[in-house]
Amino acid sequence: MIRISNLFCPKFKCDLIRLGKSFDGGYVVERRSVMESKTLVSFGISDDWSFEEDFSNLGDKKIYSYDYSVDRRFWITNFIKSILRILFLKNITENFIKLFDYFKYKKFFDLKDNFHFKKFITSSSMKKNLFKSNINISLNETLKEIDKDIFLKIDIEGSEYRILDEIIKNSKKINGLVIEFHDFDLHYDLIKKFINDFDQNLIHIHVNNYGSINMEGLPSVIELSFVSNFFLKDNDLNNESYPVENLDMPNNKDEIDYNITFY
């Protein structure tokens, strides 16, 4: 059983929609906050940009994606892995489709308003200490030239903790945020502090069932969605249970989607 503090229970009812593919890669967000956002700043894409694609299809949007790991070697490795899985008769249809991922990636990011930057996201304070300086970038730098109407998506495998202070600092520029927290059980108090300090409302929670659950009922990976107060409907109190039917899906489609109990 998943047991999480009431602090993580969304308090207000919102008009929620799902962007991105079914199962892993899709996120639940507030409708108007994405519709009125002119720019998506996305940290972490790997081989799945379905969220970015759905966001782009909502209208005249700019997509700025940052992922240092997605380069020529990444695509060659993915191609070889798909070939081997086909040869060993593992998920043949799925892996045959994945052979063409690179061409889909090129088609999407070659559009004039869609950009992929091969940059590693880190905090301003650590920028000069990781790798070569020209491949590191901070959240402050990515948002420097954008005044407002930003939607922020973060899935950077544990590095999210390094930029929480900069998210808080830039909250007035941001219409909404979806963020995946790794090692949630280990950083429970730090994430509670972020929720208290971040000047936006938590509107959705989902447990990533690829992660594990500790003896106290805390998951290791969790997805949280936030929205600016401006987009709250009428301060109607929320009465949803989680996962939300017809919106949430298990990340791992072969396992159940965990129910959450708040205390």
Side-chain angles (χ1 to χ4, degrees):
M1 178 187 295
I2 304 289
R3 296 184 71 254
I4 301 177
S5 163
N6 266 321
L7 178 67
F8 291 89
C9 183
K11 294 179 176 59
F12 299 110
K13 185 181 297 184
C14 288
D15 186 9
L16 299 176
I17 60 173
R18 183 183 180 89
L19 296 185
K21 68 182 185 182
S22 300
F23 309 112
D24 199 36
Y27 295 95
V28 174
V29 295
E30 196 279 330
R31 182 188 302 273
R32 200 154 62 96
S33 68
V34 295
M35 295 299 296
E36 296 191 20
S37 293
K38 297 176 182 177
T39 305
L40 170 65
V41 177
S42 172
F43 296 156
I45 55 170
S46 188
D47 61 351
D48 180 8
W49 52 95
S50 58
F51 183 91
E52 290 75 8
E53 196 166 23
D54 281 357
F55 194 99
S56 176
N57 289 335
L58 292 175
D60 186 18
K61 314 283 189 185
K62 288 187 179 294
I63 311 294
Y64 295 111
S65 297
Y66 297 81
D67 196 321
Y68 173 68
S69 69
V70 180
D71 56 12
R72 182 178 296 179
R73 178 180 292 181
F74 172 89
W75 290 116
I76 292 172
T77 301
N78 273 22
F79 185 82
I80 293 172
K81 284 181 179 179
S82 295
I83 291 289
L84 290 174
R85 287 171 183 147
I86 291 170
L87 291 175
F88 286 97
L89 304 179
K90 293 182 177 180
N91 301 323
I92 295 175
T93 301
E94 179 182 328
N95 281 290
F96 180 79
I97 293 171
K98 286 183 71 65
L99 291 175
F100 302 95
D101 276 358
Y102 173 73
F103 302 103
K104 297 174 185 175
Y105 159 85
K106 288 290 292 180
K107 181 179 179 181
F108 180 69
F109 285 104
D110 279 349
L111 296 174
K112 67 180 181 69
D113 287 330
N114 300 341
F115 304 91
H116 169 218
F117 302 99
K118 296 180 178 67
K119 296 283 187 179
F120 185 91
I121 302 300
T122 188
S123 68
S124 299
S125 62
M126 295 188 69
K127 181 174 180 292
K128 294 182 180 179
N129 296 327
L130 292 172
F131 304 116
K132 301 174 183 176
S133 61
N134 65 332
I135 65 168
N136 298 313
I137 193 166
S138 69
L139 175 63
N140 286 340
E141 287 176 296
T142 65
L143 303 187
K144 189 175 181 180
E145 304 300 326
I146 312 174
D147 292 331
K148 59 180 181 177
D149 293 332
I150 300 164
F151 196 92
L152 191 58
K153 174 213 157 194
I154 300 172
D155 181 5
I156 48 178
E157 309 301 319
S159 291
E160 60 271 12
Y161 298 101
R162 301 192 182 278
I163 61 172
L164 294 183
D165 287 344
E166 293 182 23
I167 295 173
I168 293 168
K169 179 181 177 181
N170 288 282
S171 63
K172 295 195 181 307
K173 290 185 174 186
I174 300 168
N175 286 349
L177 162 72
V178 62
I179 181 169
E180 186 167 274
F181 282 106
H182 297 259
D183 297 320
F184 173 76
D185 52 326
L186 299 180
H187 299 292
Y188 192 60
D189 291 334
L190 180 60
I191 300 168
K192 286 170 66 175
K193 183 178 185 305
F194 171 73
I195 292 174
N196 282 323
D197 293 346
F198 188 38
D199 189 24
Q200 295 204 6
N201 273 278
L202 176 65
I203 54 147
H204 186 262
I205 180 172
H206 182 250
V207 174
N208 185 323
N209 67 343
Y210 274 114
S212 56
I213 306 169
N214 72 10
M215 296 297 290
E216 297 174 352
L218 288 179
S220 61
V221 186
I222 202 161
E223 302 159 358
L224 301 180
S225 302
F226 297 82
V227 73
S228 167
N229 298 336
F230 178 77
F231 296 102
L232 288 178
K233 290 177 73 174
D234 299 307
N235 285 348
D236 290 343
L237 293 180
N238 175 52
N239 58 2
E240 292 282 8
S241 58
Y242 297 88
V244 179
E245 189 175 1
N246 299 322
L247 275 179
D248 283 317
M249 297 182 185
N251 298 73
N252 181 354
K253 62 185 178 182
D254 297 322
E255 300 291 338
I256 62 168
D257 214 4
Y258 299 125
N259 292 315
I260 302 174
T261 298
F262 299 101
Y263 66 90

